[in-house]
Amino acid sequence: MMINKALGFYEGRSLDDPEVFIEKEFPMPTCQANDLLVEVQAVSVNPIDTKRRQTTTLSEKFHIQGYDAVGIVHEIGSAVNGFAVGDRVFYAGTTQRPGANQRFQVVDFRIAAKAPAGFSDGDLAAMPLTSITAWELLFEKFGYVPEENANEGSILLVNASGGVGSIAAQLAKWAGLTVYGTASPKNDQWLKDNQVDQVLNHRLPLAEQITEPFSAVALFYDASAYLPQLTKAILPFGKVGMIVNTKEALDLNPFKNLGIDFYWEYMFTKTDAQLMIETQGGILQRIASLLADKKIHTTAVQTFDGGITIETLKHATKAVEQGTKGKTVITGGVR
């Protein structure tokens, strides 16, 4: 009988703790009607991994993280359509089921997509969570048309060098927007490589760097640090989107007379609530096509090729906790 191997923890510990991650063996996951059983080939580490680990208290539950994956379909459920055993797929998974830091994972077929040919496992593992987040914010929340050059106006991306910002810039530019992005000056070239038209220094006030207000602002950083500056940086009836919890309460009153719309984007809301989950598989199909057509490119920056082991997971997680541009991935599957 085949045995599944997974990396996880019973409580959140510091990366300096030798038992921050533990390896365990389990029976093979059971493939339900809507599931794909996937043999995981690569994963990425995201900020949500570190935040959820750090806030996990001791319990009897073994927490398996990993919210980006690419792998090979090993088995399909009775209600699955559009996929077959042997297909290479990529997906972000859900916080409601064990994650991808295991040899075999079950995932609902409706949130997965066939992987485009010609890309490495690491390049593809970098994409699902951040591209879904960016797509939902730009095209579902802000209401831009998800077609090439179909939109006008300007958008500001705060923290444009991070995982979400790096793909949001590409998608916004593909859709026809003029893209401004904030980052540390050391990441200027990275922003330009990701289609940012105008790079702004995140250490300087926005008012000193812009000449005209924006149609929309996407905050991929604590909004409480930037919101007071936006009253002079956004057009009336503009849109503001946020993806990160704020340390301080937000005062939205200054935006009332401008008629500004505010949005929270959290890509796991759909799978948490089991609402519209098939749209995420649809988004990844679009992302696969854009990759194949070279309209966008992977945001993978740092790759650990030694397989998904305790050591590679610790190294990749440390890189994310210290802050890095783009995405950090681990390839080779669980050893």
Side-chain angles (χ1 to χ4, degrees), residues 297-324:
H297 56 258
T298 181
T299 56
V301 171
Q302 188 168 196
T303 301
F304 293 88
D305 294 319
I308 306 169
T309 66
I310 289 175
E311 286 306 306
T312 57
L313 187 56
K314 287 174 68 173
H315 288 310
T317 302
K318 183 177 181 179
V320 172
E321 289 188 356
Q322 291 178 337
T324 182

mmCIF file of all heavy atoms in Angstrom, residues 297-324:
data_model
loop_
_atom_site.group_PDB
_atom_site.id
_atom_site.type_symbol
_atom_site.label_atom_id
_atom_site.label_comp_id
_atom_site.label_asym_id
_atom_site.label_seq_id
_atom_site.Cartn_x
_atom_site.Cartn_y
_atom_site.Cartn_z
ATOM 1 N N HIS A 297 4.675 36.755 -17.608
ATOM 2 C CA HIS A 297 5.740 35.795 -17.316
ATOM 3 C C HIS A 297 5.713 35.435 -15.833
ATOM 4 O O HIS A 297 5.095 36.118 -15.014
ATOM 5 C CB HIS A 297 7.115 36.336 -17.715
ATOM 6 C CG HIS A 297 7.441 37.652 -17.071
ATOM 7 N ND1 HIS A 297 7.345 38.855 -17.728
ATOM 8 C CD2 HIS A 297 7.852 37.969 -15.820
ATOM 9 C CE1 HIS A 297 7.687 39.841 -16.929
ATOM 10 N NE2 HIS A 297 8.003 39.329 -15.754
ATOM 11 N N THR A 298 6.392 34.361 -15.496
ATOM 12 C CA THR A 298 6.436 33.905 -14.111
ATOM 13 C C THR A 298 7.096 34.947 -13.216
ATOM 14 O O THR A 298 7.938 35.744 -13.660
ATOM 15 C CB THR A 298 7.193 32.585 -13.993
ATOM 16 O OG1 THR A 298 7.193 32.147 -12.616
ATOM 17 C CG2 THR A 298 8.632 32.729 -14.451
ATOM 18 N N THR A 299 6.708 34.921 -11.946
ATOM 19 C CA THR A 299 7.307 35.824 -10.967
ATOM 20 C C THR A 299 8.229 35.076 -10.000
ATOM 21 O O THR A 299 8.608 35.613 -8.959
ATOM 22 C CB THR A 299 6.206 36.551 -10.173
ATOM 23 O OG1 THR A 299 5.337 35.578 -9.569
ATOM 24 C CG2 THR A 299 5.399 37.456 -11.086
ATOM 25 N N ALA A 300 8.568 33.827 -10.342
ATOM 26 C CA ALA A 300 9.515 33.067 -9.521
ATOM 27 C C ALA A 300 10.879 33.746 -9.553
ATOM 28 O O ALA A 300 11.402 34.063 -10.626
ATOM 29 C CB ALA A 300 9.628 31.638 -10.028
ATOM 30 N N VAL A 301 11.454 33.967 -8.382
ATOM 31 C CA VAL A 301 12.757 34.621 -8.276
ATOM 32 C C VAL A 301 13.783 33.703 -7.622
ATOM 33 O O VAL A 301 14.924 33.599 -8.067
ATOM 34 C CB VAL A 301 12.638 35.928 -7.470
ATOM 35 C CG1 VAL A 301 14.018 36.497 -7.154
ATOM 36 C CG2 VAL A 301 11.818 36.949 -8.234
ATOM 37 N N GLN A 302 13.370 33.008 -6.572
ATOM 38 C CA GLN A 302 14.282 32.151 -5.825
ATOM 39 C C GLN A 302 13.735 30.728 -5.816
ATOM 40 O O GLN A 302 12.592 30.505 -5.417
ATOM 41 C CB GLN A 302 14.423 32.677 -4.393
ATOM 42 C CG GLN A 302 15.506 31.975 -3.587
ATOM 43 C CD GLN A 302 15.815 32.708 -2.299
ATOM 44 O OE1 GLN A 302 16.845 32.463 -1.679
ATOM 45 N NE2 GLN A 302 14.946 33.599 -1.865
ATOM 46 N N THR A 303 14.552 29.767 -6.265
ATOM 47 C CA THR A 303 14.118 28.379 -6.360
ATOM 48 C C THR A 303 15.039 27.482 -5.546
ATOM 49 O O THR A 303 16.262 27.545 -5.683
ATOM 50 C CB THR A 303 14.116 27.890 -7.822
ATOM 51 O OG1 THR A 303 13.238 28.722 -8.595
ATOM 52 C CG2 THR A 303 13.639 26.450 -7.925
ATOM 53 N N PHE A 304 14.433 26.648 -4.699
ATOM 54 C CA PHE A 304 15.164 25.622 -3.959
ATOM 55 C C PHE A 304 14.852 24.285 -4.625
ATOM 56 O O PHE A 304 13.707 23.835 -4.645
ATOM 57 C CB PHE A 304 14.733 25.614 -2.491
ATOM 58 C CG PHE A 304 15.127 26.860 -1.740
ATOM 59 C CD1 PHE A 304 14.291 27.972 -1.728
ATOM 60 C CD2 PHE A 304 16.337 26.938 -1.070
ATOM 61 C CE1 PHE A 304 14.647 29.125 -1.052
ATOM 62 C CE2 PHE A 304 16.705 28.088 -0.386
ATOM 63 C CZ PHE A 304 15.862 29.185 -0.378
ATOM 64 N N ASP A 305 15.897 23.660 -5.199
ATOM 65 C CA ASP A 305 15.716 22.474 -6.037
ATOM 66 C C ASP A 305 15.904 21.152 -5.304
ATOM 67 O O ASP A 305 15.870 20.103 -5.928
ATOM 68 C CB ASP A 305 16.693 22.518 -7.222
ATOM 69 C CG ASP A 305 16.392 23.660 -8.179
ATOM 70 O OD1 ASP A 305 15.196 23.898 -8.440
ATOM 71 O OD2 ASP A 305 17.339 24.300 -8.653
ATOM 72 N N GLY A 306 16.083 21.174 -4.003
ATOM 73 C CA GLY A 306 16.412 19.940 -3.295
ATOM 74 C C GLY A 306 15.237 19.096 -2.872
ATOM 75 O O GLY A 306 15.385 18.226 -2.007
ATOM 76 N N GLY A 307 14.064 19.328 -3.474
ATOM 77 C CA GLY A 307 12.873 18.617 -3.033
ATOM 78 C C GLY A 307 12.244 19.332 -1.853
ATOM 79 O O GLY A 307 12.855 20.197 -1.209
ATOM 80 N N ILE A 308 10.982 18.977 -1.544
ATOM 81 C CA ILE A 308 10.272 19.583 -0.427
ATOM 82 C C ILE A 308 10.657 18.822 0.836
ATOM 83 O O ILE A 308 10.095 17.775 1.159
ATOM 84 C CB ILE A 308 8.749 19.551 -0.660
ATOM 85 C CG1 ILE A 308 8.398 20.189 -2.008
ATOM 86 C CG2 ILE A 308 8.023 20.303 0.467
ATOM 87 C CD1 ILE A 308 6.967 19.959 -2.438
ATOM 88 N N THR A 309 11.661 19.337 1.525
ATOM 89 C CA THR A 309 12.180 18.727 2.740
ATOM 90 C C THR A 309 12.069 19.731 3.882
ATOM 91 O O THR A 309 11.778 20.916 3.665
ATOM 92 C CB THR A 309 13.648 18.316 2.574
ATOM 93 O OG1 THR A 309 14.449 19.511 2.423
ATOM 94 C CG2 THR A 309 13.842 17.433 1.337
ATOM 95 N N ILE A 310 12.336 19.280 5.091
ATOM 96 C CA ILE A 310 12.318 20.194 6.229
ATOM 97 C C ILE A 310 13.311 21.329 6.015
ATOM 98 O O ILE A 310 13.011 22.496 6.276
ATOM 99 C CB ILE A 310 12.614 19.437 7.541
ATOM 100 C CG1 ILE A 310 11.420 18.538 7.898
ATOM 101 C CG2 ILE A 310 12.906 20.400 8.679
ATOM 102 C CD1 ILE A 310 11.650 17.656 9.112
ATOM 103 N N GLU A 311 14.487 20.997 5.510
ATOM 104 C CA GLU A 311 15.522 22.024 5.332
ATOM 105 C C GLU A 311 15.149 23.020 4.250
ATOM 106 O O GLU A 311 15.298 24.236 4.441
ATOM 107 C CB GLU A 311 16.874 21.368 5.022
ATOM 108 C CG GLU A 311 17.521 20.716 6.227
ATOM 109 C CD GLU A 311 17.662 21.675 7.400
ATOM 110 O OE1 GLU A 311 18.237 22.767 7.206
ATOM 111 O OE2 GLU A 311 17.188 21.345 8.507
ATOM 112 N N THR A 312 14.693 22.544 3.087
ATOM 113 C CA THR A 312 14.342 23.494 2.021
ATOM 114 C C THR A 312 13.132 24.334 2.427
ATOM 115 O O THR A 312 13.059 25.524 2.103
ATOM 116 C CB THR A 312 14.059 22.772 0.699
ATOM 117 O OG1 THR A 312 13.016 21.804 0.874
ATOM 118 C CG2 THR A 312 15.301 22.094 0.161
ATOM 119 N N LEU A 313 12.197 23.743 3.162
ATOM 120 C CA LEU A 313 11.033 24.496 3.605
ATOM 121 C C LEU A 313 11.435 25.583 4.595
ATOM 122 O O LEU A 313 10.919 26.707 4.547
ATOM 123 C CB LEU A 313 10.004 23.549 4.227
ATOM 124 C CG LEU A 313 8.645 24.156 4.598
ATOM 125 C CD1 LEU A 313 7.987 24.833 3.403
ATOM 126 C CD2 LEU A 313 7.731 23.081 5.179
ATOM 127 N N LYS A 314 12.391 25.270 5.475
ATOM 128 C CA LYS A 314 12.876 26.276 6.422
ATOM 129 C C LYS A 314 13.590 27.409 5.689
ATOM 130 O O LYS A 314 13.371 28.587 5.992
ATOM 131 C CB LYS A 314 13.809 25.627 7.454
ATOM 132 C CG LYS A 314 13.093 24.768 8.477
ATOM 133 C CD LYS A 314 14.069 24.032 9.379
ATOM 134 C CE LYS A 314 14.820 24.960 10.292
ATOM 135 N NZ LYS A 314 15.639 24.207 11.280
ATOM 136 N N HIS A 315 14.435 27.062 4.715
ATOM 137 C CA HIS A 315 15.179 28.089 3.980
ATOM 138 C C HIS A 315 14.230 28.978 3.177
ATOM 139 O O HIS A 315 14.383 30.213 3.159
ATOM 140 C CB HIS A 315 16.201 27.446 3.057
ATOM 141 C CG HIS A 315 17.378 26.845 3.772
ATOM 142 N ND1 HIS A 315 18.101 27.528 4.727
ATOM 143 C CD2 HIS A 315 17.964 25.628 3.654
ATOM 144 C CE1 HIS A 315 19.083 26.761 5.179
ATOM 145 N NE2 HIS A 315 19.018 25.600 4.547
ATOM 146 N N ALA A 316 13.260 28.362 2.507
ATOM 147 C CA ALA A 316 12.323 29.138 1.696
ATOM 148 C C ALA A 316 11.443 30.021 2.574
ATOM 149 O O ALA A 316 11.167 31.179 2.240
ATOM 150 C CB ALA A 316 11.458 28.192 0.860
ATOM 151 N N THR A 317 11.017 29.484 3.716
ATOM 152 C CA THR A 317 10.180 30.259 4.625
ATOM 153 C C THR A 317 10.958 31.430 5.214
ATOM 154 O O THR A 317 10.422 32.535 5.366
ATOM 155 C CB THR A 317 9.644 29.361 5.753
ATOM 156 O OG1 THR A 317 8.895 28.278 5.182
ATOM 157 C CG2 THR A 317 8.740 30.143 6.679
ATOM 158 N N LYS A 318 12.224 31.207 5.531
ATOM 159 C CA LYS A 318 13.060 32.287 6.056
ATOM 160 C C LYS A 318 13.177 33.420 5.048
ATOM 161 O O LYS A 318 13.105 34.608 5.408
ATOM 162 C CB LYS A 318 14.442 31.756 6.420
ATOM 163 C CG LYS A 318 15.359 32.806 7.039
ATOM 164 C CD LYS A 318 16.692 32.207 7.456
ATOM 165 C CE LYS A 318 17.579 33.263 8.105
ATOM 166 N NZ LYS A 318 18.886 32.694 8.540
ATOM 167 N N ALA A 319 13.345 33.058 3.766
ATOM 168 C CA ALA A 319 13.445 34.085 2.725
ATOM 169 C C ALA A 319 12.176 34.927 2.669
ATOM 170 O O ALA A 319 12.232 36.154 2.532
ATOM 171 C CB ALA A 319 13.701 33.424 1.369
ATOM 172 N N VAL A 320 11.023 34.280 2.797
ATOM 173 C CA VAL A 320 9.750 35.000 2.747
ATOM 174 C C VAL A 320 9.575 35.872 3.982
ATOM 175 O O VAL A 320 9.128 37.018 3.894
ATOM 176 C CB VAL A 320 8.574 34.002 2.598
ATOM 177 C CG1 VAL A 320 7.233 34.724 2.742
ATOM 178 C CG2 VAL A 320 8.649 33.300 1.245
ATOM 179 N N GLU A 321 9.941 35.347 5.150
ATOM 180 C CA GLU A 321 9.799 36.124 6.380
ATOM 181 C C GLU A 321 10.716 37.347 6.390
ATOM 182 O O GLU A 321 10.384 38.368 6.984
ATOM 183 C CB GLU A 321 10.065 35.243 7.599
ATOM 184 C CG GLU A 321 8.967 34.217 7.852
ATOM 185 C CD GLU A 321 9.138 33.484 9.175
ATOM 186 O OE1 GLU A 321 10.154 33.716 9.861
ATOM 187 O OE2 GLU A 321 8.258 32.674 9.514
ATOM 188 N N GLN A 322 11.851 37.252 5.722
ATOM 189 C CA GLN A 322 12.776 38.383 5.678
ATOM 190 C C GLN A 322 12.365 39.408 4.630
ATOM 191 O O GLN A 322 12.860 40.526 4.626
ATOM 192 C CB GLN A 322 14.198 37.889 5.405
ATOM 193 C CG GLN A 322 14.798 37.113 6.568
ATOM 194 C CD GLN A 322 16.188 36.592 6.273
ATOM 195 O OE1 GLN A 322 16.582 36.414 5.100
ATOM 196 N NE2 GLN A 322 16.955 36.332 7.316
ATOM 197 N N GLY A 323 11.455 39.020 3.740
ATOM 198 C CA GLY A 323 10.991 39.918 2.697
ATOM 199 C C GLY A 323 11.801 39.751 1.433
ATOM 200 O O GLY A 323 13.029 39.876 1.451
ATOM 201 N N THR A 324 11.124 39.444 0.343
ATOM 202 C CA THR A 324 11.820 39.230 -0.918
ATOM 203 C C THR A 324 10.929 39.668 -2.057
ATOM 204 O O THR A 324 9.696 39.702 -1.919
ATOM 205 C CB THR A 324 12.198 37.741 -1.083
ATOM 206 O OG1 THR A 324 12.921 37.564 -2.299
ATOM 207 C CG2 THR A 324 10.954 36.857 -1.114
#
